[in-house]
Amino acid sequence: MIALALRLAVAGGREALVRLAAIAAAVAIGAGLLLTTVAGVHATNAQLGRYAAMYPQETPGGAADPLLWSTRFDYFHGTQIQRVDVAATGPTAPTPVGVPGVPGPGEYYASPALRKLLATTPADQLGDRYPGRDLGAVGPAALTSPESLLILVGGTPEQVGALDRVRKVTRVAGNEAPLPETAIDLILGVVAGGLLFPVLIFIGTATRLGAARREQRFAAMRLVGATPRQISVVAAVEATLAAAIGVAAGFALFLAFRGQLAAIPFTGMPYFPDDLTLGAPDVLLVALGVPAGAAVAARVALRRVRISPLGVTRRVTPRPPRAYRLIPLVLGLAGLGLGLLYRPVTGDGQTALFLPSLLLVMTGLVTGGPWLTMVGARAMAARAGRPATLIAARRLADNPAAGFRAVSGVMLALFVTTVAVGIMGTIAAERGPAPRGSLEAGRLSFWLGDDDAQVPARLPTDLTAVPGVRNVVVIRENPVRGEGHDDGVIACVDIPAAYGRCADGASVAEVTEGLIPWRESASADRVWPASEVDPAALPKLPAGSLAVDADGPAAIERARTIMEAAFPAHAVAPTVPGDFESDFANTMRGWQRLADVVVVFSLALAGCSLAVAVAAGLSERKRPFSLLRLSGAPVRLLRRVVALETVAPMLTVAAVAVGMGLVAAHLFLRAQMHYDLRLPGLGFAAVVAVGLLGCLAVVAATLPLLERVTGPQTARSE
């Protein structure tokens, strides 16, 4: 029976080969995506493990001599540099991950990306911050990404012990990552769902190519004596053959494009290609599970033939879908809404709440789609004024599941697009973009800490000697603490005109660090409140921060280097307003690229599913359309019917998908970040419009098939 099934699978002419190729292509995409998702999870875990190696925890009571460890951050042109200062307190101190030994005083190891940057940048802009001997590169075992900027600086126990947040480490392995792994799992889970759902729909749509003819063929086999079990074997072998070919192609696609996939910032930063690995269980799961799933799907699809060999010819109107199909959608939205009332404290709890809720929403859109299509079709039939509209509406109302099947991929693509754009756009709007030009001409501010720092006498002179640097000011710590008081005080005569002025009659003002309030811009009209500090006592107060104006990236980095050299034990590096925002913007751009991948992939698959579904529908309805042509219906009328059968449900589900996407994004943002959704702008509308126009173009491209498959010969032969 298996040999007969293999022969039938490839000997059915051009139609059988096209169907086999389409199913294999759909399975290849699905298998490749599934492999990428599994490998991405492994890569993320490896990435988080290496990140944890740079944050070892204190382990008191260990047998080894402690390794003093302090992690802090620096910036260069808006890019973050991770600096780790270490000092061994004895011969048995542990060795940091990724290097052969602990660097001594005046020595350092640097990541390959940072070493390249140091070699191509003038020393007075970057290299002078890290004086000493370069011992070599930090290995990949300590780097989260090929682009990581990391430097491991050695020092004496006294030097490192005086730094901020120093730790005594007796082991550097087995630490937990400070990054929220469950949050990454949540994002990857949603991304995988957003990609896998359209793939599954594409596979299901492709398997229906020639479904009517296959059902008739299997029914004929039943009439000549074949048992239901034999029919199931034939169908399963056909599906398994196509799935096996597709799985093999999926493995080939994954291996061929693994390097390009590693460059996609799934976690906001690219992976090392070797991170995208697959274990033996993963390979077996995909290699055996996908063909098995295809065989099960084929068995389920033939339930009518198994019931009776005449079940195919005795076609009746299917039962109309019921509103209970919307239950998963309601449950998913309720789960997201629950996050407004109760937000789990742990990352595992948040993943357990939000991930199933978002996947339930997508499931509910798919299961509830036929009911929504039926409601829209009945409304269209009630207002139909032309024959094409009435025919299309009645056909949709009679079999809404078939009508929705063609546009289900479009619905999910628009839902994923709306959620991605809504969340990304809102976060970016709430956090704010990097101030325009802030990395080129900005206010460089330097918090000196709370240890009564003394400003070296030569520092202002050294700074003003740098071309483009001016307005060097020292902001003293405000002795008056509490709500309503700024952290620093300064003499009114020292406030540069571009940053405001004192209140009338004041000689000392309360100001913020850097003379620019948080998330605001410099303003000459700003009036700083008066301080109670006596002007004579002002110079005796400890310095709290420094601020200078620097024009251009070179001036900023030279001034930053001079400041760091003057305060080598600084806890927070000098920054311009754009540094933090730029770092955030870089992360957001990484996530946006990931969202773009999901959007483009979903829309492309939706278009493919739509084309296959329309072509399959035309093939299945050749005889009814041919009879309509014989009865006098013009081809243009039939084209309108086919177009309306696709366009009407597509517009209905598009409105629902966008609406549900906005609701899901708002609930997620409120529960996770307490943000209100910012409605997407014209760019989002353009994406939706282009996507829908692309779908209409796909439908238009299939309409020429109508005239070729509905001729009089079709009515006679059928």
Side-chain angles (χ1 to χ4, degrees):
M1 203 66 192
I2 294 178
L4 175 63
L6 291 173
R7 182 176 180 182
L8 291 174
V10 298
R14 181 179 179 182
E15 179 182 322
L17 293 177
V18 170
R19 181 176 66 250
L20 186 69
I23 296 174
V27 173
I29 295 173
L33 180 61
L34 184 59
L35 292 171
T36 301
T37 302
V38 174
V41 172
H42 292 322
T44 300
N45 291 333
Q47 197 175 66
L48 291 174
R50 291 196 299 270
Y51 193 95
M54 292 295 100
Y55 288 88
Q57 303 300 314
E58 287 192 355
T59 51
D65 294 321
L67 175 70
L68 300 185
W69 187 292
S70 177
T71 302
R72 44 187 171 156
F73 296 96
D74 198 356
Y75 287 91
F76 180 78
H77 290 183
T79 302
Q80 190 180 79
I81 300 173
Q82 186 179 11
R83 172 172 176 163
V84 178
D85 292 88
V86 294
T89 60
T92 61
T95 300
V97 175
V99 296
V102 180
E107 299 175 336
Y108 67 82
Y109 292 94
S111 65
L114 183 55
R115 295 184 77 202
K116 181 178 179 181
L117 188 62
L118 289 169
T120 57
T121 304
D124 60 351
Q125 295 185 33
L126 182 61
D128 289 346
R129 304 179 200 175
Y130 316 114
R133 185 164 62 98
D134 181 3
L135 297 180
V138 177
L143 303 177
T144 56
S145 168
E147 298 177 359
S148 296
L149 299 181
L150 169 68
I151 187 165
L152 196 67
V153 181
T156 65
E158 293 75 21
Q159 290 172 336
V160 179
L163 298 178
D164 189 57
R165 295 186 294 272
V166 66
R167 302 169 184 170
K168 295 181 179 180
V169 177
T170 55
R171 64 181 176 89
V172 294
N175 295 285
E176 294 184 358
L179 285 181
E181 180 178 348
T182 49
I184 300 296
D185 291 342
L186 172 62
I187 295 171
L188 286 178
V190 174
V191 169
L195 290 174
L196 286 175
F197 268 73
V199 167
L200 294 176
I201 290 174
F202 183 30
I203 293 175
T205 304
T207 56
R208 291 196 59 82
L209 279 173
R213 186 175 296 277
R214 292 170 67 208
E215 288 176 348
Q216 291 175 359
R217 185 181 68 191
F218 291 148
M221 294 173 64
R222 287 289 314 277
L223 288 172
V224 298
T227 65
R229 182 175 181 178
Q230 290 173 324
I231 296 298
S232 297
V233 170
V234 172
V237 169
E238 287 186 356
T240 303
L241 175 62
I245 296 173
V247 168
F251 274 97
L253 288 173
F254 170 75
L255 295 175
F257 293 100
R258 187 171 66 164
Q260 290 81 354
L261 292 172
I264 299 175
F266 288 100
T267 59
M269 62 188 77
Y271 297 122
F272 288 99
D274 291 341
D275 288 342
L276 291 172
T277 58
L278 296 171
D282 306 322
V283 174
L284 292 176
L285 176 65
V286 176
L288 301 179
V290 173
V296 172
R299 184 180 180 88
V300 172
L302 294 174
R303 58 187 180 277
R304 290 188 301 176
V305 180
R306 291 200 308 271
I307 293 172
S308 166
L310 299 179
V312 175
T313 58
R314 294 177 178 177
R315 296 183 184 274
V316 296
T317 301
R319 293 179 57 185
R322 305 295 179 85
Y324 68 79
R325 286 172 168 267
L326 297 175
I327 290 177
L329 177 62
V330 175
L331 292 177
L333 294 176
L336 293 175
L338 179 62
L340 300 176
L341 304 176
Y342 168 70
R343 180 176 179 270
V345 178
T346 64
D348 289 332
Q350 294 170 22
T351 301
L353 175 63
F354 292 113
L355 179 56
S357 298
L358 287 170
L359 296 181
L360 269 176
V361 171
M362 287 190 279
T363 302
L365 289 174
V366 174
T367 59
W371 184 83
L372 296 172
T373 302
M374 181 190 68
V375 172
R378 290 178 176 177
M380 185 172 67
R383 295 170 175 78
R386 294 186 177 183
T389 306
L390 182 60
I391 294 174
R394 291 300 302 271
R395 287 182 62 85
L396 283 174
D398 286 344
N399 193 359
F404 172 73
R405 190 181 302 120
V407 297
S408 54
V410 178
M411 169 181 260
L412 283 180
L414 289 177
F415 174 78
V416 172
T417 300
T418 304
V419 172
V421 172
I423 292 177
M424 295 293 176
T426 299
I427 295 176
E430 289 288 342
R431 290 288 300 270
R436 184 177 299 277
S438 61
L439 294 177
E440 289 73 32
R443 163 124 299 211
L444 190 65
S445 59
F446 187 18
W447 180 67
L448 302 180
D450 299 320
D451 297 328
D452 297 336
Q454 299 296 320
V455 178
R458 287 191 51 82
L459 181 58
T461 304
D462 293 341
L463 287 171
T464 53
V466 176
V469 174
R470 64 189 186 282
N471 296 331
V472 180
V473 296
V474 179
I475 300 171
R476 305 288 175 174
E477 291 184 8
N478 191 353
V480 182
R481 302 285 183 174
E483 186 176 353
H485 293 278
D486 286 318
D487 294 333
V489 291
I490 189 175
C492 293
V493 295
D494 292 335
I495 300 177
Y499 296 92
R501 57 183 176 81
C502 286
D504 293 338
S507 56
V508 177
E510 292 187 351
V511 296
T512 58
E513 177 187 334
L515 300 178
I516 303 177
W518 170 246
R519 298 181 66 178
E520 294 186 26
S521 301
S523 174
D525 298 327
R526 181 172 287 112
V527 178
W528 298 102
S531 171
E532 302 174 2
V533 174
D534 185 350
L538 185 62
K540 301 177 183 179
L541 295 176
S545 62
L546 290 174
V548 300
D549 283 336
D551 295 333
I556 288 175
E557 300 309 333
R558 289 190 179 100
R560 188 169 0 221
T561 300
I562 292 173
M563 289 181 176
E564 292 188 23
F567 297 93
H570 64 274
V572 180
T575 58
V576 296
D579 280 330
F580 296 120
E581 289 86 350
S582 179
D583 185 55
F584 166 74
N586 289 336
T587 301
M588 287 302 300
R589 277 192 291 271
W591 291 114
Q592 188 62 57
R593 285 194 294 269
L594 177 58
D596 292 341
V597 171
V598 176
V599 169
V600 171
F601 195 88
S602 300
L603 289 174
L605 276 181
C608 294
S609 299
L610 184 62
V612 172
V614 174
L618 290 176
S619 177
E620 292 180 2
R621 291 177 289 171
K622 290 188 294 186
R623 182 175 176 80
F625 282 157
S626 298
L627 293 175
L628 282 174
R629 285 191 64 185
L630 287 175
S631 64
V635 176
R636 64 177 179 274
L637 175 66
L638 301 183
R639 287 174 177 169
R640 285 198 202 99
V641 171
V642 174
L644 286 172
E645 286 182 6
T646 305
V647 173
M650 183 173 67
L651 295 180
T652 300
V653 302
V656 173
V658 172
M660 289 297 99
L662 293 175
V663 171
H666 175 71
L667 293 176
F668 180 82
L669 288 166
R670 284 298 306 166
Q672 280 289 85
M673 305 173 185
H674 304 291
Y675 291 163
D676 290 321
L677 174 70
R678 303 288 186 93
L679 290 177
L682 295 178
F684 170 72
V687 170
V688 174
V690 170
L692 293 178
L693 288 175
C695 293
L696 294 177
V698 169
V699 175
T702 60
L703 292 181
L705 295 173
L706 185 63
E707 188 170 2
R708 292 203 297 267
V709 302
T710 59
Q713 68 280 1
T714 302
R716 289 194 300 268
S717 62
E718 296 284 340

